[in-house]
Amino acid sequence: MTGLLASGLARKGLKVGVLDADITGPSIPMLFGLHGKVNAGDYGILPYESRMGIKVISMNLLLTSEDQPVIWRGPLVSKAIQQLWGDVMWGDLDVLLIDLPPGTSDATLTIMQSVPVTGLVMVTTPQSLASMVVRKAVHMAQIVGVNIIGIIENMAYYYCHDTGKRHFIFGQSHTVKVAQTAEAPILAQVPIDPAISDLCDAGNVEDIEFEGLDKLLDAFMDAAAITSDKIIGEAGPKEMSSDAVPQGTEEPVAYRDDALAKYSAVAQEIIKTQENMGVFDQPDLRGSFRGCCGDSITMEILLDADVIQDARFRTDGCEATIACGGMLTRLIKGKTITEALQ
């Protein structure tokens, strides 16, 4: 489903990235026909690009062999996901899709708490057993406070071309219960089709077409409020800082005012605009630090002799860390390095 959505959005002209957060069972690279290790780069990991220009990163693209197992406990998995999110040079994207493992694992919790997620798409199959597992994930999202934008039922039925009939191989669908629990629409019911499996196995997920695919994409874009030039969350259009956003940064995430009420007015302004958040193509100095809470922050500066001309930062941390990074970069601009250290 992640591969289908990414390919469809790319065909509609959006700049798309895919982060494979299924650390122990990564399959995204195979779907797109991507193999081999990625380049670490001077300032971050460089993702692979598919034939359609979709930027892809996965644990399998960091391993020596595709068959090499990742035998890690939860904390290491969470750390890896944070690095794939924060250390990859995603560049200018319209949308980043994150493929998660099923259930309520550490990987899912890490994404919900560490990444500015606009919304979740829950994927289920018709059986009651599958819908029960997905409902657990729905309740988890509701507890954490992440918006669910829709439900997709995969392997919903088999269409027999000889008779023209649909056969519901897994019996009566229980997806409606998932949708009711999530208070979200059913975006599509995707059929069982051997041709889809063959294209996925061959690394040609971008070539998949089937009846109803366009309706799925339209429903997804409507539910996520995605257009070709901006992404809008439930809080409305994203606010931009007064400074030009440097190449290689994402647009600010929309935060609800009530979620920021505990912060000062200045902090709220910095968080909403994500002031100075981004990277430079060629920074003069770059450094990183991880706090005792687990949040990390990386800062880059441009120098003119000993004077800091500009500063940018990026972080995997919470709103408070964003506020600190924004204020710190604001304070050091125009200062000498000695003054900035003071």
Side-chain angles (χ1 to χ4, degrees), residues 83-94:
Q83 288 185 314
L84 291 180
W85 155 249
D87 294 348
V88 173
M89 306 297 288
W90 291 108
D92 186 16
L93 297 180
D94 292 313

Side-chain angles (χ1 to χ4, degrees), residues 273-295:
T273 61
Q274 294 192 11
E275 180 179 328
N276 297 329
M277 200 169 181
V279 295
F280 296 114
D281 288 335
Q282 293 182 317
D284 292 309
L285 290 176
R286 180 174 184 265
S288 299
F289 180 79
R290 181 173 296 277
C292 59
C293 65
D295 289 359

Side-chain angles (χ1 to χ4, degrees), residues 52-71:
M52 295 178 65
I54 299 169
K55 295 183 179 181
V56 177
I57 194 64
S58 170
M59 195 67 200
N60 248 23
L61 299 176
L62 299 171
L63 300 175
T64 305
S65 168
E66 291 182 345
D67 297 332
Q68 181 180 345
V70 178
I71 310 173

Side-chain angles (χ1 to χ4, degrees), residues 5-179:
L5 290 174
S7 304
L9 294 173
R11 278 196 293 270
K12 290 181 178 291
L14 277 79
K15 291 173 285 188
V16 183
V18 178
L19 192 165
D20 188 355
D22 193 347
I23 301 298
T24 59
S27 56
I28 291 294
M30 181 176 178
L31 295 178
F32 286 95
L34 303 175
H35 306 279
K37 293 184 68 174
V38 295
N39 187 345
D42 293 331
Y43 305 107
I45 301 171
L46 300 176
Y48 271 169
E49 288 196 23
S50 71
R51 289 182 288 110
M52 295 178 65
I54 299 169
K55 295 183 179 181
V56 177
I57 194 64
S58 170
M59 195 67 200
N60 248 23
L61 299 176
L62 299 171
L63 300 175
T64 305
S65 168
E66 291 182 345
D67 297 332
Q68 181 180 345
V70 178
I71 310 173
W72 290 350
R73 296 190 184 275
L76 286 178
V77 170
S78 298
K79 171 68 174 177
I81 291 173
Q82 290 174 341
Q83 288 185 314
L84 291 180
W85 155 249
D87 294 348
V88 173
M89 306 297 288
W90 291 108
D92 186 16
L93 297 180
D94 292 313
V95 60
L96 176 67
L97 300 176
I98 302 176
D99 182 50
L100 288 166
T104 55
S105 64
D106 285 339
T108 304
L109 184 60
T110 298
I111 290 296
M112 290 186 185
Q113 293 185 327
S114 302
V115 178
V117 177
T118 301
L120 297 178
V121 175
M122 295 292 179
V123 181
T124 186
T125 53
Q127 308 97 307
S128 176
L129 179 61
S131 66
M132 180 268 291
V133 174
V134 176
R135 288 199 304 273
K136 289 179 180 290
V138 167
H139 288 306
M140 177 183 182
Q142 292 170 337
I143 292 171
V144 177
V146 179
N147 182 41
I148 301 173
I149 65 177
I151 315 296
I152 296 177
E153 182 180 271
N154 197 14
M155 297 185 285
Y157 59 87
Y158 174 74
Y159 176 77
C160 181
H161 294 279
D162 295 334
T163 64
K165 294 183 179 180
R166 291 184 177 185
H167 299 276
F168 296 88
I169 296 174
F170 294 114
Q172 180 183 359
S173 173
H174 292 79
T175 300
V176 172
K177 294 181 180 179
V178 178

Side-chain angles (χ1 to χ4, degrees), residues 184-294:
I186 298 176
L187 302 178
Q189 292 178 297
V190 181
I192 299 173
D193 188 343
I196 293 178
S197 297
D198 291 342
L199 288 169
C200 288
D201 289 344
N204 295 319
V205 69
E206 292 164 300
D207 297 333
I208 292 176
E209 293 184 8
F210 60 87
E211 183 180 357
L213 178 57
D214 285 337
K215 290 183 179 180
L216 166 59
L217 292 169
D218 290 341
F220 172 75
M221 292 181 70
D222 287 343
I226 295 176
T227 65
S228 60
D229 58 349
K230 59 186 174 182
I231 301 174
I232 304 176
E234 61 182 358
K238 294 171 186 168
E239 300 177 51
M240 299 298 294
S241 86
S242 57
D243 296 332
V245 178
Q247 183 179 5
T249 65
E250 293 89 6
E251 293 184 3
V253 176
Y255 290 96
R256 298 192 307 272
D257 289 338
D258 58 343
L260 302 181
K262 58 187 175 182
Y263 299 107
S264 70
V266 175
Q268 290 185 39
E269 176 193 359
I270 294 174
I271 295 167
K272 286 182 178 180
T273 61
Q274 294 192 11
E275 180 179 328
N276 297 329
M277 200 169 181
V279 295
F280 296 114
D281 288 335
Q282 293 182 317
D284 292 309
L285 290 176
R286 180 174 184 265
S288 299
F289 180 79
R290 181 173 296 277
C292 59
C293 65

